[in-house]
C-alpha cells in the first residue's frame, strides 16, 4: 500500500467514514437549531398579529404575513435538506479517486456519493455529487491520465488510486481497490443480489457506455437502443437526474414527462428519482395522452387490447393488414398529401352579405390562402377580423357582437372539414382503401386509428392546450409507430430521450426500430449492448429463442434453465406448485409466472392460487408492483425483472408463430437468477433443446 495515500488501509477508511458521518450528524443538529428558531419566530409573529390586529394597518399586516411565509418556506427547505443528510448518513459515498491536476502540487482524494456535501468549517467539498463534472472520471477512466470538463474548460491530470465501497446503514461492508473501470467485483455483487418491489438506483455501478448516455447534453433527440437487461430504463432515469442537476433553475421535474407502457411499470420505477434526491416526474400512458388531446370524444381500443386480439385471433389477416398499413412510414406521406388536398378542396367560398355590403367569394378564397401558415380551422377568426376592418375603414360600418359571431359562423360553414372522424374516413376513400377504416361495435375505434385521427386534428387546428414540457421520455420505443412519433413531435417541441429494444416488440405488425424512429425525429442513436440482468445461462437460453448478434452477456453464472414437460395440465400445475414451494423457502424475493395472454393468466391463477397466500395477479388495470409471486402476461411484464421466472404452457399450440416467439423471449428475459419452463405433453419448437 502506498504510504503517501490518505487513508491507506481499509481500517483507515472505516475510521474516516465515521468522521464524515459525525460531521453530517453535527450539521443536522445545527439545522435542528435553525428549525427551532424558525418555529419560535413563527409563534411570535402569529401572536403579534393576533394581539395587534385591530391596531395594525394593511401594510403592517402584509409585512408580518410575509415574514410568516418566509419562515415556513425556510423551514420546509431545511427539512428537505435534513432528509437528504439522513440518507447520506446511511450511505455517505460509494467511490473514490485520487486525482492530481497536470500543474497541481498535491493529489486530492475525491469521494463520490449520491449527493454532495460541503463542510463549511473546513471550507471544502467532503463528498462530490455523482453528477458533478469531476465525478465523471470515476466512471470513464482507469488509473493514469484522465480529464473532465469544468465550467472553466478541460482539466487534465492523473488518477493514482481508485476505490469502491459498499456502505449500508452507516456500515462499510467492504472496500475494493480497483485499477479498472467500475470493478467487476462490485458489479457482480450488485447483480447477484435479490430483486425488490422497486427499481433501484445504480450510481455505484454505472458503466462507461452508460455514463456517456447519461451525460449526453447535446442531442435534441437521443435514441437509446438497448438489449434486454441492459438497464436502459434505469439509465434514462439517471439521465433525467443529471439533466435536473446540470440545468438547475432552467428545468424542473414538473417540466419532464415520461410516456410509460402501463401503471405497474410506472410504479416499479417510481423510487429511482427520489433515491437520487430529485422529485418524481409526471408519467402518462400514450392512450391517456391521445384521449385528452381528442377531448375525450372517442371510445377506442387500447394497445393492450390490440395485442390481446392479435394473440387470440392470429388468423385475422384483414386486421393485421390494417395495423401494418397504419404502422408504415408510407402513411405519413399520404396523410400530409391528404391534408394538402383538404386545404385545396374543402374550403368552398361563397358570396355573402354583411348587412347590405357584399363580400365576394374571391376575397374569402384569397384570405384563406394568405393565412397558409396558420392551421386551417384557426383561419376563420382572422378572415372575419379582416372583413370587419375593411367594413370599418371603407364603409364606416361597425358590427355588433351578434353580427360578428354570425360572420364567423358563416365562414366556418364554408370549410367542409370540421368533423375529424368524417375527414379520417374520407382519407381511406381518398387513398383507395375504404375497407381500412373499420370501427368496432359502439363506434369504438381500433387502436391503430387513434394517432392518425389525432394527427389530422392537430394539422387542422394545432395544439390548443400545450403541455409545459421541456424534456420528454418515451420508454418501450419499439411499440410506437411512425405516425405516433409524428404526433408526439407535434405535441412536444422539446428535447427527447427515446429508449427501447426492437427485439422486445409485443406486436411485430406495428414494431418500430431505431432507424425508423430516426427517420421521423432525427437525432442521435446510442446503443447499450451488454446485458446485466440475467445469468449467462439464462441469457444464452433466451438468445437461442431469438438471437440478437449485438448482445453481449455479462459473465455471471448460475443454474441452467429447467425444462419440465408433464403428462397433462394437472401435473403441470402440480409442478408449478412445487416450484412455488421451493421459492418460498429460498432467499429470493420475487417470482414472476408469465403467461402469453390475460385469459391464460386468469385461468392459471384460479388453478394455483391455493398453493400460497403470496400469489397475486397483475392485470391491465393494476396500478402497483409488489414483491412475492406475481402472475401476469409477457406484455405487462416488459421492463420488470424477477429473481425467478416460470413460463407455463409453452406448448406447440400456444407458442407457434413469430409474435408468440417474441412473447416467449420477453418472458424468459425477465429472469435474473432462475428460469423454469413448463408444458403439458410437448414443448414448443422455440424451446432450445440440449
Amino acid at each position: 500500500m502506498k504510504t503517501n495515500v490518505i487513508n491507506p488501509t481499509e481500517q483507515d477508511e472505516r475510521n474516516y467514514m465515521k468522521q464524515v458521518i459525525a460531521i453530517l450528524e453535527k450539521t443536522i443538529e445545527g439545522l435542528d437549531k435553525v428549525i427551532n428558531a424558525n418555529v419560535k419566530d413563527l409563534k411570535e409573529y402569529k401572536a403579534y398579529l393576533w394581539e395587534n390586529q385591530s391596531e395594525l394597518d394593511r401594510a403592517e399586516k402584509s409585512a408580518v404575513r410575509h415574514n410568516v411565509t418566509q419562515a415556513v418556506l425556510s423551514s420546509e427547505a431545511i427539512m428537505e435538506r435534513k432528509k437528504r443528510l439522513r440518507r447520506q448518513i446511511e450511505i455517505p459515498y460509494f467511490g473514490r479517486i485520487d486525482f492530481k491536476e497536470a500543474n497541481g502540487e498535491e493529489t486530492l482524494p475525491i469521494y463520490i456519493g449520491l449527493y454532495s456535501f460541503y463542510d463549511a468549517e473546513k471550507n471544502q467539498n467532503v463528498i462530490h455529487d455523482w453528477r458533478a463534472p469531476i465525478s465523471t472520471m470515476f466512471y470513464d477512466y482507469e488509473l493514469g491520465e484522465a480529464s473532465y470538463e469544468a465550467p472553466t474548460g478541460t482539466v487534465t491530470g492523473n488518477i493514482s488510486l481508485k476505490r469502491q465501497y459498499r456502505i449500508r446503514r452507516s456500515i462499510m461492508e467492504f472496500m475494493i481497490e480497483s485499477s479498472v473501470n467500475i470493478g467487476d467485483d462490485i458489479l457482480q455483487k450488485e447483480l447477484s443480489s435479490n430483486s425488490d418491489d422497486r427499481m433501484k438506483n445504480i450510481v455505484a455501478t454505472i458503466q462507461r457506455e452508460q455514463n456517456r448516455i447519461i451525460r449526453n447534453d447535446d442531442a435534441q433527440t437521443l435514441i437509446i437502443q438497448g438489449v434486454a437487461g441492459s438497464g436502459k430504463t434505469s439509465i434514462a432515469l439517471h439521465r433525467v437526474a443529471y439533466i435536473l442537476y446540470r440545468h438547475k433553475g432552467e428545468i424542473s421535474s414538473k417540466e419532464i414527462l415520461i410516456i410509460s407502457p402501463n401503471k405497474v411499470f410506472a410504479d416499479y420505477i417510481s423510487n429511482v428519482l427520489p433515491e437520487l434526491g430529485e422529485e418524481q416526474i409526471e408519467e402518462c400512458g400514450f392512450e391517456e395522452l391521445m384521449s385528452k388531446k381528442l377531448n375525450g370524444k372517442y371510445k377506442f381500443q387500447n394497445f393492450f387490447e390490440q395485442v390481446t386480439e392479435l394473440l387470440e385471433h392470429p388468423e385475422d389477416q384483414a386486421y393485421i393488414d390494417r395495423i401494418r398499413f397504419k404502422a408504415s412510414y408510407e402513411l405519413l406521406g399520404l396523410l400530409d398529401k391528404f391534408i394538402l388536398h383538404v386545404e385545396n378542396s374543402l374550403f368552398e367560398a361563397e358570396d355573402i352579405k354583411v348587412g347590405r355590403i357584399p363580400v365576394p367569394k374571391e376575397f374569402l378564397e384569397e384570405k384563406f390562402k394568405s393565412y397558409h401558415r396558420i392551421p386551417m380551422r384557426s383561419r376563420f377568426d382572422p378572415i372575419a377580423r379582416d372583413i370587419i376592418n375593411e367594413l370599418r375603414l371603407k364603409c364606416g360600418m361597425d358590427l355588433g357582437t351578434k353580427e360578428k359571431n354570425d360572420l364567423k359562423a358563416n365562414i366556418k360553414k364554408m370549410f367542409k372539414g370540421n368533423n375529424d372522424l368524417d375527414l379520417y374516413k374520407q382519407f381511406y376513400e381518398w387513398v383507395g382503401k375504404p375497407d381500412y377504416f373499420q370501427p368496432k361495435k359502439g363506434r369504438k375505434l381500433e387502436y391503430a386509428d387513434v394517432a392518425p385521427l389525432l394527427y389530422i386534428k392537430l394539422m387542422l387546428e394545432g395544439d390548443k392546450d400545450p403541455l409545459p414540457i421541456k424534456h420528454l421520455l418515451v420508454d418501450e420505443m419499439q411499440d410506437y409507430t411512425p405516425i405516433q412519433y409524428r404526433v408526439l413531435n407535434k405535441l412536444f417541441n422539446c428535447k427527447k430521450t427515446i429508449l427501447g429494444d426492437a427485439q422486445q416488440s409485443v406486436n411485430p405488425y406495428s414494431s418500430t426500430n431505431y432507424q425508423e424512429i430516426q427517420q421521423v425525429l432525427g437525432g442521435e442513436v446510442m446503443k447499450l449492448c451488454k446485458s446485466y440482468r440475467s445469468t449467462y445461462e439464462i441469457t444464452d437460453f433466451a438468445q437461442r429463442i431469438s438471437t440478437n448478434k449485438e448482445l453481449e452477456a455479462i459473465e455471471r453464472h448460475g443454474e441452467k434453465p429447467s425444462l419440465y414437460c408433464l403428462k397433462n395440465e394437472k401435473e403441470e400445475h402440480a409442478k408449478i406448485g412445487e416450484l412455488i414451494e421451493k421459492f418460498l423457502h429460498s432467499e429470493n424475493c420475487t417470482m414472476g409466472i408469465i403467461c402469453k395472454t390475460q385469459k391464460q393468466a386468469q385461468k392459471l391463477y384460479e388453478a394455483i392460487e391455493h398453493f400460497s397466500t403470496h400469489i397475486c395477479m397483475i392485470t391491465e388495470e393494476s396500478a402497483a408492483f409488489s414483491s412475492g409471486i406475481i402472475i401476469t402476461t409477457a406484455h405487462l411484464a416488459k421492463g420488470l425483472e424477477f429473481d425467478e421466472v416460470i413460463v407455463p404452457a409453452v406448448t406447440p399450440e400456444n407458442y407457434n408463430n413469430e409474435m408468440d416467439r417474441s412473447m416467449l423471449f420477453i418472458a424468459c428475459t425477465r429472469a435474473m437468477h432462475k428460469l423454469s419452463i413448463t408444458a403439458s405433453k410437448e414443448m414448443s419448437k422455440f424451446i432450445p433443446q440440449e
Side-chain angles (χ1 to χ4, degrees):
M1 187 66 68
K2 302 164 190 173
T3 54
N4 60 340
V5 172
I6 297 170
N7 304 325
T9 69
E10 185 168 337
Q11 187 56 50
D12 291 329
E13 286 283 20
R14 291 178 188 276
N15 293 337
Y16 176 73
M17 185 195 70
K18 289 176 183 176
Q19 292 172 27
V20 171
I21 289 172
I23 296 170
L24 293 170
E25 287 172 341
K26 185 179 177 184
T27 305
I28 289 175
E29 287 174 15
L31 293 177
D32 284 335
K33 289 177 182 176
V34 176
I35 290 170
N36 291 335
N38 278 356
V39 169
K40 185 181 177 184
D41 289 343
L42 270 172
K43 288 178 180 176
E44 289 176 358
Y45 287 139
K46 287 179 179 178
Y48 178 75
L49 198 59
W50 176 257
E51 291 166 6
N52 299 282
Q53 56 181 323
S54 59
E55 299 172 17
L56 296 173
D57 61 27
R58 185 179 294 176
E60 287 172 319
K61 286 180 181 177
S62 178
V64 175
R65 289 194 186 103
H66 175 74
N67 289 337
V68 169
T69 302
Q70 290 302 110
V72 169
L73 290 173
S74 173
S75 293
E76 286 175 353
I78 293 168
M79 288 299 293
E80 194 56 41
R81 191 174 174 219
K82 262 186 71 176
K83 279 185 197 174
R84 182 173 288 198
L85 285 166
R86 290 200 183 284
R87 286 198 292 260
Q88 239 176 337
I89 285 172
E90 294 268 310
I91 309 173
Y93 44 79
F94 55 81
R96 166 185 168 180
I97 54 172
D98 283 10
F99 180 69
K100 182 182 178 184
E101 290 187 22
N103 299 316
E105 294 182 1
E106 59 179 325
T107 300
L108 296 174
I110 312 293
Y111 285 87
I112 298 158
L114 271 174
Y115 325 115
S116 63
F117 177 72
Y118 182 79
D119 186 349
E121 287 185 11
K122 293 184 179 178
N123 195 28
Q124 67 178 36
N125 257 332
V126 177
I127 305 168
H128 294 262
D129 192 296
W130 67 276
R131 298 166 289 186
I134 198 169
S135 301
T136 194
M137 294 190 292
F138 175 75
Y139 300 110
D140 287 348
Y141 290 100
E142 302 171 8
L143 300 186
E145 291 183 6
S147 65
Y148 68 95
E149 294 300 321
T152 53
T154 304
V155 177
T156 60
N158 188 278
I159 295 175
S160 57
L161 180 127
K162 190 171 183 179
R163 283 178 178 167
Q164 293 169 267
Y165 315 92
R166 172 80 180 253
I167 302 170
R168 295 291 182 272
R169 296 183 182 86
S170 307
I171 297 169
M172 188 179 290
E173 295 178 4
F174 55 79
M175 177 193 93
I176 293 174
E177 191 154 331
S178 173
S179 62
V180 294
N181 182 51
I182 309 300
D184 277 348
D185 292 337
I186 289 274
L187 185 58
Q188 290 286 356
K189 286 177 188 291
E190 292 294 334
L191 295 175
S192 298
S193 62
N194 294 328
S195 179
D196 205 340
D197 62 352
R198 294 288 188 281
M199 181 182 283
K200 302 298 183 187
N201 80 74
I202 58 166
V203 291
T205 57
I206 291 170
Q207 304 295 289
R208 185 179 296 169
E209 69 274 13
Q210 296 171 332
N211 192 45
R212 290 194 186 115
I213 290 172
I214 289 168
R215 295 174 191 260
N216 184 325
D217 205 33
D218 299 323
Q220 182 67 20
T221 296
L222 183 63
I223 302 168
I224 306 168
Q225 161 58 39
V227 300
S230 59
K232 50 193 170 290
T233 301
S234 184
I235 293 306
L237 293 171
H238 285 69
R239 176 169 164 74
V240 167
Y242 174 76
I243 288 165
L244 290 169
Y245 174 89
R246 174 76 173 76
H247 298 284
K248 195 169 185 178
E250 301 170 30
I251 184 170
S252 72
S253 58
K254 292 176 183 176
E255 295 169 314
I256 299 177
L257 177 69
I258 180 168
I259 305 293
S260 66
N262 54 64
K263 295 291 182 187
V264 171
F265 178 75
D267 178 64
Y268 179 64
I269 66 174
S270 64
N271 206 46
V272 176
L273 284 169
E275 272 192 2
L276 296 171
E278 300 295 346
E279 290 181 33
Q280 188 55 271
I281 59 174
E282 289 291 318
E283 66 82 24
C284 177
F286 191 70
E287 292 101 336
E288 181 186 347
L289 178 67
M290 289 195 293
S291 181
K292 181 180 179 181
K293 291 300 177 181
L294 288 166
N295 304 316
K297 281 176 66 175
Y298 307 99
K299 289 187 291 183
F300 57 85
Q301 181 188 47
N302 62 32
F303 184 51
F304 182 83
E305 290 167 338
Q306 182 199 65
V307 171
T308 300
E309 188 169 342
L310 287 167
L311 288 169
E312 293 178 350
H313 303 284
E315 75 290 344
D316 191 344
Q317 192 57 47
Y319 185 48
I320 291 169
D321 290 343
R322 292 197 298 276
I323 291 171
R324 271 196 174 125
F325 176 72
K326 293 163 191 177
S328 67
Y329 192 78
E330 174 194 7
L331 181 77
L332 300 185
L334 290 171
L335 279 169
D336 286 338
K337 287 177 183 175
F338 178 68
I339 298 296
L340 192 60
H341 161 74
V342 168
E343 181 165 14
N344 291 333
S345 60
L346 293 194
F347 185 73
E348 299 174 7
E350 301 170 5
D351 295 329
I352 57 171
K353 282 188 177 182
V354 182
R356 295 181 180 179
I357 308 298
V359 180
K361 67 179 183 179
E362 291 80 10
F363 178 86
L364 292 164
E365 284 173 352
E366 182 188 334
K367 285 294 176 184
F368 184 78
K369 289 175 183 175
S370 72
Y371 285 112
H372 65 276
R373 295 184 185 279
I374 301 174
M376 279 168 257
R377 291 180 191 155
S378 299
R379 299 179 195 179
F380 311 138
D381 283 359
I383 293 170
R385 190 171 60 243
D386 288 348
I387 293 170
I388 292 164
N389 289 338
E390 287 277 329
L391 292 172
R392 185 186 298 115
L393 291 170
K394 294 184 177 178
C395 306
M397 183 177 177
D398 284 318
L399 301 184
T401 301
K402 184 180 183 306
E403 291 170 307
K404 288 177 182 177
N405 290 337
D406 288 345
L407 175 60
K408 290 174 186 176
N410 285 332
I411 295 169
K412 184 177 179 180
K413 285 176 189 173
M414 296 176 196
F415 185 58
K416 308 306 177 189
N418 287 315
N419 185 297
D420 295 324
L421 202 57
D422 285 350
L423 265 185
Y424 184 57
K425 186 178 178 182
Q426 284 178 43
F427 167 71
Y428 289 100
E429 293 165 358
W430 183 76
V431 296
K433 297 178 184 288
D435 56 330
Y436 271 37
F437 181 61
Q438 296 284 342
K440 296 182 173 296
K441 289 179 182 177
R443 291 173 60 85
K444 187 176 184 179
L445 300 176
E446 292 181 345
Y447 175 71
D449 285 318
V450 188
L453 172 64
L454 177 55
Y455 183 66
I456 287 173
K457 178 181 174 67
L458 290 170
M459 290 300 288
L460 291 180
E461 63 186 48
D463 184 6
K464 293 187 173 180
D465 187 23
L467 295 168
I469 300 301
K470 293 183 179 178
H471 198 106
L472 180 73
L473 261 76
V474 180
D475 205 348
E476 302 296 347
M477 69 183 188
Q478 69 278 1
D479 292 334
Y480 300 97
T481 62
I483 186 59
Q484 290 174 327
Y485 280 111
R486 180 69 68 82
V487 165
L488 286 173
N489 217 27
K490 292 288 290 181
L491 294 174
F492 303 102
N493 182 24
C494 62
K495 285 193 170 186
K496 299 175 183 68
T497 300
I498 316 288
L499 56 139
D501 177 19
Q503 200 170 7
Q504 294 185 68
S505 170
V506 292
N507 180 359
Y509 311 116
S510 66
S511 181
T512 310
N513 59 38
Y514 67 84
Q515 294 98 328
E516 291 164 328
I517 297 168
Q518 202 172 23
Q519 263 188 294
V520 180
L521 301 178
E524 181 181 346
V525 175
M526 297 184 81
K527 294 184 179 182
L528 292 169
C529 298
K530 190 173 282 189
S531 180
Y532 299 97
R533 177 187 296 131
S534 306
T535 61
Y536 183 88
E537 288 73 17
I538 293 171
T539 301
D540 180 62
F541 181 84
Q543 279 282 80
R544 285 186 283 158
I545 293 171
S546 181
T547 304
N548 183 343
K549 291 179 180 177
E550 291 190 332
L551 185 145
E552 180 186 346
I554 189 106
E555 288 283 343
R556 180 173 67 84
H557 290 281
E559 59 184 277
K560 287 184 178 180
S562 301
L563 307 181
Y564 301 100
C565 193
L566 292 309
K567 289 180 182 178
N568 52 49
E569 198 176 67
K570 185 178 179 182
E571 285 195 13
E572 183 182 359
H573 292 167
K575 173 53 71 175
I576 291 171
E578 285 178 28
L579 295 171
I580 287 171
E581 186 67 22
K582 284 183 183 177
F583 164 76
L584 292 171
H585 289 89
S586 73
E587 294 181 356
N588 290 333
C589 301
T590 58
M591 170 184 271
I593 303 175
I594 304 177
C595 302
K596 191 176 90 169
T597 68
Q598 193 65 56
K599 282 182 182 176
Q600 291 173 12
Q602 182 64 44
K603 183 182 175 185
L604 182 64
Y605 176 72
E606 290 168 2
I608 69 169
E609 63 175 321
H610 65 278
F611 286 125
S612 172
T613 56
H614 295 86
I615 300 175
C616 67
M617 191 163 80
I618 287 180
T619 68
E620 180 201 355
E621 288 80 29
S622 299
F625 181 83
S626 61
S627 57
I629 303 162
I630 285 171
I631 299 178
T632 189
T633 64
H635 184 179
L636 293 176
K638 272 204 310 178
L640 308 179
E641 60 185 29
F642 304 88
D643 292 322
E644 296 185 28
V645 164
I646 299 172
V647 188
V650 187
T651 61
E653 297 77 27
N654 200 28
Y655 288 93
N656 61 73
N657 60 37
E658 286 307 304
M659 190 170 181
D660 296 338
R661 183 200 292 269
S662 184
M663 290 294 184
L664 185 59
F665 174 80
I666 290 166
C668 292
T669 54
R670 300 309 95 200
M672 294 173 65
H673 310 304
K674 186 175 181 180
L675 173 64
S676 300
I677 307 289
T678 70
S680 55
K681 296 182 182 177
E682 188 183 351
M683 284 276 180
S684 164
K685 63 184 177 182
F686 297 136
I687 294 300
Q689 300 300 320
E690 291 302 324

